[in-house]
Amino acid sequence: MRTSVASVVFILMATVTASAEEVYYQNDFETQCDVVYWASAAKVQVDEIGLSTESPAGGQRCARIAFHVVSGGGWCYFKIPLEVKLDPAKTYVVEAMVKYETTGGGRVGFGHSWQHMPPGQAEVQGNGASAGTCSEPRKWHHLVGKELGAAFRESSEMAGWTAACPGRFDALYVHTEGNREGDRVTVWLDDVKFRETNAEDQARLAKQRRPVDYTPPPYPAVEDACPWGCCGSLEGHAGRLGLPREAEAAVVARQWADFGYDTSLRPGGMVMAPGNPKPEDALGQFLDLNQSYGLRVLPSTYLTGFYDRKVPRDQCEAAITRVVTRYRNHPALLAWWMIDEPMANVDDCENQWVWGKQRFEALDRQHPALGAFCVADAVAMYSQYTQVSLIDCYPLLGRPDKPAGDAATVARWCELSWRRGGRRIWAVPQAFGELGNWRIPTRAELRLMCFQYLSRGASGFIPYYYSAAPAWLTGYGHNGLVDLYGAPTHMGAEMQALADTLMPLCPLLAPVRWQGEQALARVACEPGAGGKPVLDLSVLSGPQHDLIVVCNLDATTARQGALSLSPAPGRKLYDLRALKPVQIPAGSSVPVSLRAGDAAVLLWGNDKSFAAAQATIRSRRVQLTRRQLDGLTREAAANGIPPRLWDDAVTQSAALARRGDYAASLALLAQTQTRVAAALRDVPGRQPCQDRLDRAREALSRASRALEVWVLQRWPERERSGKVSQMRADEPHLGPYVDTLTELARCEHLLQYALLAGQAPAHEAAYADLEALATQAETGVAGFVTTQPPLTIAQDQLKRLTAAVADLK
């Protein structure tokens, strides 16, 4: 029974019992079922959508939906059409009676679809959970949702539009999750309502904002940590290229040393296999691997059952106990990665998030259980229950049906975390893109995201994602900080450039808090897009000093402005990037000039607080340079260079740093880097191999990118995704290019490992072959993307190269 607002009076007279709220949609399914199949992640066959007399929750009939999964797995949506114009002054709620049965696992819930209509822009569609989920089959559940009007306004604010942005609700939808191939699923619906909230709803929703009476215990060692790392693994492309684990780890660790990384976040998680020790053994090996390179790690254990609800709770608890007691004292462990991207669901919060955290915390007093939050609702719900909020706001969509994206959205998510009781924030900036989906950030956009996180108090950075998976190899195309050949992308180059700024500043964020509106400072500037100020001002207040961050929100153009501060006796302004005082003309303001996406980071305090900040920044720069030197000296030692070349200098540098002479410590480390690099160049026969490898990598990277762009143009996203075999069948000449570029990537990684392990001179001919083949591959791809000829490459040379690297395993 579908109704519009205009006809609601007649519906109320006919079908609705006494109620204070206006009802915009109601269907008790006595006479009509307007549910339709919408979309699914798997291939499904809908067996029935209609009315049924089977165990209705009320009345004589209900709706019945039956389907089975033909192949694949995941979610399935069934839509109930709806047309309601949003009234910004009202709040809305969805409620329904739901029952389901399944031959497999999963759960059922309600969602809603809406349209934002920002002034001067195209309509933007969004979907979200509206009435929770149920995971107990063969039982009727009364699902009542959150405030949809408030959620709509909040999402408008997060996108940078006004809170009163016009919009409408397009549909309700019932969705199933966790479907698997062969599952048969039946869902019954009754008494579906979309209506305004009443007093009872408001009381319930207030309780849902803090559904659990739980305060996480303090973990000072983690809360005061300032990680500088990435989401990725030392195993890199090992699975895709079939490389030995040790060889790939050595190559990746050398790259990470250049980035200055000290932390990794392992995505993907352990396989939930209670009673099976193999995943637990693999976790130990992974921790050992990170320890051998001096890295801290957040390993994704995923033991709570959040991802597999059929696992009994006692088995989950037993698995947590085994894993935590086995590895809680491992020196590489930073924190437990418990759940990735939980949704803002009350049941999940109480029975998965809080339950799991309490199990981990009862066993380990040094390492809390964490997770990342990927939607604003999750930031709001979980920030109050965690020691550190990892916020992975990925704002840069590139699909034609989605907005271009606003890199400044991350600031609003951080503000939300602080307002909801957040204790620490670590940033997970969008340092990736997917062809045809998530847009790849420009260097200025990545820079802006990072400084927006910093401006709102983020004291750690773990960009997502480290490595790339090209479209021609995987079918979907995933760009990261380095490409398949290990060459830094433009995003990787920006993260390397940011290391010397962000990594040293992170510890200064620990004692301060973002405060929202305050009168300490203001910035005057010209307006940007939509008439908004082009410079963003944020103040973080602490007991001894304040931090002021001014960001240029324009990621394309340099901008200017003027910063004014309220007078405060004994306080001065200091530039924390240049490490010098800022002169403020009497009765005047400070000019601010920023390149695209850049920021000024200032301290408002006294000479003593500035001296302390200087010491912190310089100490962290010593740490950063030392990590970079460590990567170089590992390589030097493997190439036979005696440690006496750097051992004494490292010891002296550490002593200088302990005495507070950071300038001398840094200078000594820099001199040592220069000496070690020169010694590596002098290793007989090594430098020609390095030069050939560098030229080969550059050529292969160019070829890979050109082929990737062609694949995107040849097969639109929905035709291409996950269908590499179909792509190869559609274009017979593509396969040899893919196979050759993949094989050359494998050889290139092994020859890089040979350089690191001191074996390069013995394989000098292989480096020459790789360079020649890379040039041939680049020339071949250049022709292929225009006329698609067969690959012409020296097969004898390729076989010789493959044979030469075989012993590097």
Side-chain angles (χ1 to χ4, degrees), residues 25 114 133 142 244 277 309 357 427 481 572 709 711 754 776 783:
Y25 174 91
W114 70 87
T133 59
H142 182 208
R309 310 224 172 217
K357 278 182 64 63
L481 299 175
K572 303 176 186 177
V709 171
V711 165
Q776 295 171 33

Side-chain angles (χ1 to χ4, degrees), residues 54-270:
E54 297 178 59
S55 305
Q60 299 300 311
R61 293 175 183 262
C62 62
R64 184 176 185 271
I65 303 167
F67 68 94
H68 65 275
V69 182
V70 177
S71 61
W75 47 265
C76 187
Y77 287 2
F78 292 87
K79 180 165 65 174
I80 303 172
L82 180 72
E83 292 182 4
V84 173
K85 184 176 180 181
L86 178 76
D87 183 342
K90 296 180 179 179
T91 56
Y92 308 85
V93 71
V94 173
E95 66 175 317
M97 296 297 297
V98 178
K99 183 178 77 166
Y100 79 103
E101 289 185 356
T102 177
T103 58
R107 54 182 180 170
V108 176
F110 255 86
H112 60 282
S113 176
W114 70 87
Q115 290 277 357
H116 287 289
M117 294 180 282
Q121 300 186 43
E123 293 185 356
V124 179
Q125 183 181 11
N127 297 302
S130 54
T133 59
C134 55
S135 54
E136 184 179 355
R138 296 179 295 279
K139 177 182 177 181
W140 282 99
H141 298 264
H142 182 208
L143 298 182
V144 187
K146 60 184 180 182
E147 286 186 9
L148 301 190
F152 187 97
R153 289 188 292 275
E154 184 176 84
S155 60
S156 294
E157 292 176 356
M158 293 297 166
W161 305 319
T162 65
C165 174
R168 69 174 185 268
F169 292 104
D170 285 348
L172 308 177
Y173 56 85
V174 61
H175 61 86
T176 65
E177 300 173 4
N179 307 313
R180 298 178 180 178
E181 185 172 331
D183 283 0
R184 291 188 173 275
V185 182
T186 304
V187 180
W188 289 267
L189 307 177
D190 205 358
D191 293 339
V192 177
K193 293 186 181 72
F194 177 89
R195 58 175 175 76
E196 288 183 49
T197 57
N198 54 32
E200 182 180 341
D201 296 320
Q202 295 294 339
R204 174 181 54 81
L205 293 167
K207 184 177 180 181
Q208 285 185 352
R209 281 189 282 272
R210 184 170 175 81
V212 185
D213 184 15
Y214 159 77
T215 300
Y219 281 78
V222 173
E223 292 169 30
D224 294 339
C226 299
W228 173 252
C230 67
C231 178
S233 169
L234 282 174
E235 294 166 318
H237 297 291
R240 194 163 312 276
L241 298 179
L243 296 169
R245 188 186 198 197
E246 295 77 10
E248 184 72 343
V251 171
V252 174
R254 184 65 186 85
Q255 294 165 355
W256 285 10
D258 289 339
F259 281 93
Y261 288 155
D262 57 24
T263 302
S264 70
L265 190 160
R266 167 73 177 269
M270 292 174 59

Side-chain angles (χ1 to χ4, degrees), residues 296-510:
R296 301 172 300 186
V297 61
L298 285 84
S300 48
T301 53
Y302 299 173
L303 298 174
T304 66
F306 184 88
Y307 297 101
D308 190 347
R309 310 224 172 217
K310 298 193 305 298
V311 179
R313 182 51 55 87
D314 60 342
Q315 291 186 21
C316 292
E317 187 158 10
I320 293 172
T321 301
R322 285 196 311 273
V323 172
V324 173
T325 54
R326 184 174 177 181
Y327 296 118
R328 62 190 171 193
N329 295 319
H330 199 289
L333 181 64
L334 176 61
W336 299 102
W337 191 247
M338 183 178 70
I339 295 173
D340 185 37
E341 299 185 342
M343 293 295 102
N345 181 283
V346 173
D347 180 68
D348 288 346
C349 180
E350 182 172 7
N351 296 316
Q352 296 296 334
W353 179 263
V354 171
W355 179 87
K357 278 182 64 63
Q358 290 175 327
R359 303 286 84 70
F360 278 92
E361 289 161 356
L363 296 164
D364 189 346
R365 299 296 184 184
Q366 300 300 316
H367 307 98
L370 307 177
F373 312 132
C374 67
V375 294
D377 286 349
V379 172
M381 175 167 284
Y382 294 103
S383 289
Q384 60 195 323
Y385 298 125
T386 187
Q387 293 84 358
V388 178
S389 296
L390 287 98
I391 299 180
D392 54 351
C393 175
Y394 306 147
L396 301 179
L397 286 169
R399 289 161 50 184
D401 60 331
K402 298 292 184 181
D406 175 12
T409 303
V410 297
R412 293 182 282 271
W413 286 32
C414 291
E415 292 172 12
L416 185 59
S417 178
W418 291 123
R419 288 182 176 128
R420 294 292 287 147
R423 289 159 60 158
R424 286 287 186 272
I425 294 173
W426 291 349
V428 188
Q430 181 186 338
F432 79 102
E434 291 176 355
L435 294 178
N437 193 348
W438 299 98
R439 182 165 62 79
I440 303 171
T442 65
R443 289 189 66 156
E445 286 171 332
L446 179 57
R447 182 163 59 242
L448 173 58
M449 276 188 275
C450 289
F451 279 117
Q452 284 279 272
Y453 273 118
L454 184 82
S455 75
R456 294 328 192 255
S459 56
F461 286 82
I462 306 175
Y464 184 93
Y465 187 74
Y466 165 66
S467 57
W472 50 263
L473 178 62
T474 63
Y476 61 92
H478 193 106
N479 290 275
L481 299 175
V482 299
D483 66 14
L484 184 67
Y485 303 94
T489 63
H490 68 280
M491 294 179 290
E494 185 60 34
M495 289 309 300
Q496 286 179 312
L498 286 168
D500 192 55
T501 298
L502 293 178
M503 190 262 208
L505 287 172
C506 285
L508 300 182
L509 278 297

